Amino acid sequence: MSDLTYTKTLIDHPGLFLMDDEYLYSCNFIPVGSAQHWNIYNGLRFSTSCIFFYPVWISEGLQHPNVTYHPRYQRKGYEVMYDHNNTMEIKHWNFLSNQTTTLDAENIAVPDDMRDLFGYELVMLSWDIDIEVLTFDGYFLELIASRRNATASQQNKFTDRISIFVVRNAKDMEGYARRFIIPGPGITYMAIVTQRAKAKSIISVLVDPFDLYIWSIYVVLVLTIATSVALFGELLGRQHFVEIVLELIMISLAGPSRAYGGSFENRIITMFCLMGIVLVSSYQSLVISFMSFARYHPEINTLADVEQRCILSDTEAAHELNLKTYRLNQFPPVEQICYIDYVRDNEQLSIAIYEKFINDAERVRARIENMRHARVRFYEYPIFYLLTFNCREFRTFVKFYAQAIIESGIYEFYYRNRSQSKWHYAQETFVNRTVRLTDLSLLWYAYALGSTISLLCFMAEKMFLQLSRRFYLREIER
């Protein structure tokens, strides 16, 4: 009773005001005056231990067949019997060995019933897939059994034999059940399964070296200089505005393509060429380096990315996370479809469980190559082991072994490294192939579009000249 973990009560009529949850892990001192006092509140079955204090002369009445509560509560702790001679006898029944021992009242030593479990069967609730993939749970149970002379087994159905099981989603646990959980090694969380970022086309290398701000400043600079030259230029000022813009771009790429002159034009184009030396040289070096490795579009990682670019199926979990959803008859684009995954430890274990559940190598390969977990996590909790009511006495040493495994690093540095999935996916980093026709498809499209527009403009210009000549001849004839 000196352990601060437990609630202490001293009462002879607990049924008057105490509730079931007030007896959880409680230690009670209960004086009994007659055999009928054994019919006390049924909630004592949830307590950790009880000390029953009663006189010797009622002990014979407790053996009566109608007294059903005595055998049950006798297993809860200790019986202290006294008589008129100031003598006292203390008895303790060990439910594991099914034996009753007598303690010395002059030199009381509390026996440790949990040191030897006498072959007691520890049963863990585990699904078939978890037994094959999450092997650490079985190892943890066998470790406890070997240290305490018990037997360990796992089953996939919830029955009265269950002693312990793993809590996969601690956020849904009620406060009543949280008193029976023990923190263990590892974590659980909710992950968002998103589409993998697609590789950018090779032609995108021409745009990627500079960000939007630099390209905007460059366009504004070209337009400003072209406007100034068009208004005040001596030679280039006679050209069309579009031709001046193209000439400035040509100067940035390879130098002037036509003659220019005049004091104003010489000064402003010379300054533009000096700026182009720095800008274009850095641009060319970046383009060359960017062509040596594969580039990908931005991936979905942060919470803002998930909220803006992810659309999930219409489920309660998606609404709870306040994310965008779609209905079955309103499918969004494939690159926006995301899923919720309940994960144990990491993505590799999630894929291993998915592989066992699907049992289809091609679907698993497609899942790994096309989808991934975003970095943002929801409801991240440590692993919890939940002990059922019928084995609450094991809480202390189960917690001890769980903490020892966490502190020793067995789980982090041994088990998790062994549990890496054989399906390990890595995106292509370096470009190790030649440029193909499909890689330059955007350039061919641009060339075909430009040629078509040029041809149409040429034909329109010819038709306009023919119509103008006919109109001119008619006016002369009149």
Side-chain angles (χ1 to χ4, degrees):
M1 295 186 70
S2 62
D3 193 340
L4 298 178
T5 306
Y6 307 121
T7 304
K8 288 83 177 177
T9 61
L10 177 61
I11 190 168
D12 58 352
H13 290 84
L16 296 179
F17 57 86
L18 292 180
M19 306 297 291
D20 279 355
D21 58 350
E22 294 180 288
Y23 278 107
L24 293 176
Y25 297 109
S26 63
C27 186
N28 309 281
F29 180 83
I30 303 174
V32 182
S34 66
Q36 303 194 359
H37 280 183
W38 283 100
N39 298 324
I40 57 178
Y41 189 58
N42 199 31
L44 287 176
R45 68 185 187 276
F46 296 141
S47 61
T48 298
S49 183
C50 297
I51 300 176
F52 299 99
F53 189 77
Y54 61 91
V56 175
W57 54 83
I58 71 169
S59 60
E60 294 182 1
L62 298 178
Q63 308 301 325
H64 194 276
N66 294 332
V67 183
T68 58
Y69 285 91
H70 175 253
R72 179 188 301 178
Y73 295 131
Q74 185 187 26
R75 304 178 182 184
K76 302 298 297 184
Y78 304 88
E79 296 177 87
V80 180
M81 296 177 290
Y82 63 92
D83 57 14
H84 294 296
N85 298 328
N86 293 328
T87 60
M88 190 164 46
E89 185 179 7
I90 303 175
K91 293 184 178 181
H92 173 65
W93 185 77
N94 187 339
F95 75 97
L96 294 169
S97 63
N98 199 20
Q99 295 178 353
T100 301
T101 59
T102 301
L103 306 183
D104 185 3
E106 301 296 333
N107 186 18
I108 298 177
V110 179
D112 186 5
D113 295 338
M114 298 296 107
R115 184 176 296 277
D116 190 345
L117 301 184
F118 295 95
Y120 185 87
E121 186 179 19
L122 300 176
V123 183
M124 175 178 285
L125 176 64
S126 300
W127 312 122
D128 294 336
I129 296 176
D130 292 350
I131 294 175
E132 296 182 25
V133 178
L134 306 176
T135 56
F136 178 80
D137 298 333
Y139 163 78
F140 177 68
L141 192 67
E142 292 176 358
L143 172 65
I144 297 176
S146 63
R147 297 289 182 177
R148 298 286 174 152
N149 189 24
T151 57
S153 63
Q154 293 176 280
Q155 65 181 36
N156 56 5
K157 294 182 180 180
F158 189 85
T159 63
D160 294 337
R161 299 175 58 245
I162 297 298
S163 304
I164 182 174
F165 60 88
V166 180
V167 179
R168 298 293 295 271
N169 195 1
K171 76 178 184 65
D172 294 331
M173 294 190 63
E174 298 179 357
Y176 183 78
R178 289 185 180 181
R179 302 188 183 188
F180 297 92
I181 60 177
I182 295 173
I187 58 173
T188 61
Y189 59 91
M190 290 173 58
I192 303 297
V193 182
T194 66
Q195 303 291 330
R196 286 194 182 275
K198 304 300 180 183
K200 291 184 177 181
S201 61
I202 294 180
I203 199 64
S204 65
V205 175
L206 300 177
V207 181
D208 286 346
F210 293 155
D211 60 6
L212 180 61
Y213 298 102
I214 295 181
W215 285 119
S216 301
I217 293 173
Y218 177 75
V219 171
V220 171
L221 177 64
V222 170
L223 294 178
T224 303
I225 296 178
T227 303
S228 302
V229 172
L231 294 176
F232 308 107
E234 182 173 344
L235 296 181
L236 289 178
R238 302 173 187 174
Q239 308 297 325
H240 193 273
F241 181 79
V242 176
E243 294 180 347
I244 298 176
V245 172
L246 293 176
E247 179 62 24
L248 293 176
I249 296 175
M250 187 63 193
I251 290 174
S252 299
L253 296 176
S257 62
R258 63 181 65 192
Y260 64 92
S263 176
F264 178 76
E265 285 186 10
N266 287 334
R267 287 183 173 84
I268 196 170
I269 292 180
T270 300
M271 294 180 62
F272 185 77
C273 291
L274 291 175
M275 182 274 299
I277 293 174
V278 178
L279 184 67
V280 175
S281 60
S282 62
Y283 174 79
Q284 290 176 347
S285 61
L286 289 173
V287 167
I288 294 172
S289 62
F290 283 3
M291 290 182 66
S292 62
F293 66 93
R295 298 176 60 80
Y296 295 86
H297 293 282
E299 291 184 331
I300 299 176
N301 278 318
T302 64
L303 177 59
D305 294 337
V306 173
E307 293 176 343
Q308 295 173 7
R309 299 168 53 188
C310 269
I311 303 179
L312 295 88
S313 58
D314 192 8
T315 59
E316 182 180 353
H319 288 291
E320 184 178 355
L321 297 175
N322 197 24
L323 300 177
K324 292 185 292 186
T325 60
Y326 68 90
R327 299 187 181 275
L328 294 178
N329 56 350
Q330 299 175 347
F331 287 100
V334 176
E335 61 272 8
Q336 292 183 326
I337 296 179
C338 300
Y339 308 92
I340 292 178
D341 190 10
Y342 295 90
V343 184
R344 171 88 178 262
D345 286 331
N346 50 43
E347 185 177 1
Q348 286 76 16
L349 282 180
S350 176
I351 294 174
I353 293 176
Y354 179 79
E355 179 185 3
K356 293 294 182 181
F357 180 75
I358 296 298
N359 195 22
D360 187 341
E362 292 302 323
R363 290 183 63 181
V364 175
R365 185 184 300 275
R367 153 70 173 84
I368 296 173
E369 293 180 352
N370 298 324
M371 310 199 75
R372 54 177 289 275
H373 282 182
R375 292 180 183 175
V376 63
R377 297 177 177 181
F378 299 96
Y379 300 112
E380 184 173 355
Y381 291 96
I383 285 292
F384 288 105
Y385 293 109
L386 177 61
L387 302 181
T388 55
F389 290 132
N390 61 350
C391 72
R392 57 190 174 274
E393 294 87 355
F394 307 136
R395 174 183 173 86
T396 302
F397 70 82
V398 171
K399 184 178 181 180
F400 168 78
Y401 287 114
Q403 187 65 28
I405 287 176
I406 294 174
E407 294 180 358
S408 64
I410 294 176
Y411 186 81
E412 292 292 332
F413 300 103
Y414 177 72
Y415 170 73
R416 287 220 321 195
N417 289 339
R418 290 187 58 189
S419 63
Q420 297 297 319
S421 172
K422 64 181 180 181
W423 293 99
H424 183 67
Y425 177 81
Q427 289 180 326
E428 183 183 19
T429 304
F430 295 98
V431 178
N432 54 3
R433 57 181 175 82
T434 59
V435 179
R436 295 172 295 185
L437 181 64
T438 55
D439 297 327
L440 300 178
S441 58
L442 184 60
L443 284 179
W444 295 112
Y445 292 150
Y447 178 77
L449 180 61
S451 301
T452 304
I453 294 176
S454 299
L455 180 60
L456 294 176
C457 292
F458 177 75
M459 294 175 61
E461 183 179 2
K462 288 294 184 180
M463 293 177 61
F464 178 76
L465 290 176
Q466 292 293 336
L467 294 175
S468 299
R469 289 176 181 176
R470 292 180 182 180
F471 180 76
Y472 179 72
L473 294 176
R474 289 179 184 177
E475 288 294 329
I476 294 176
E477 293 177 354
R478 292 179 180 177

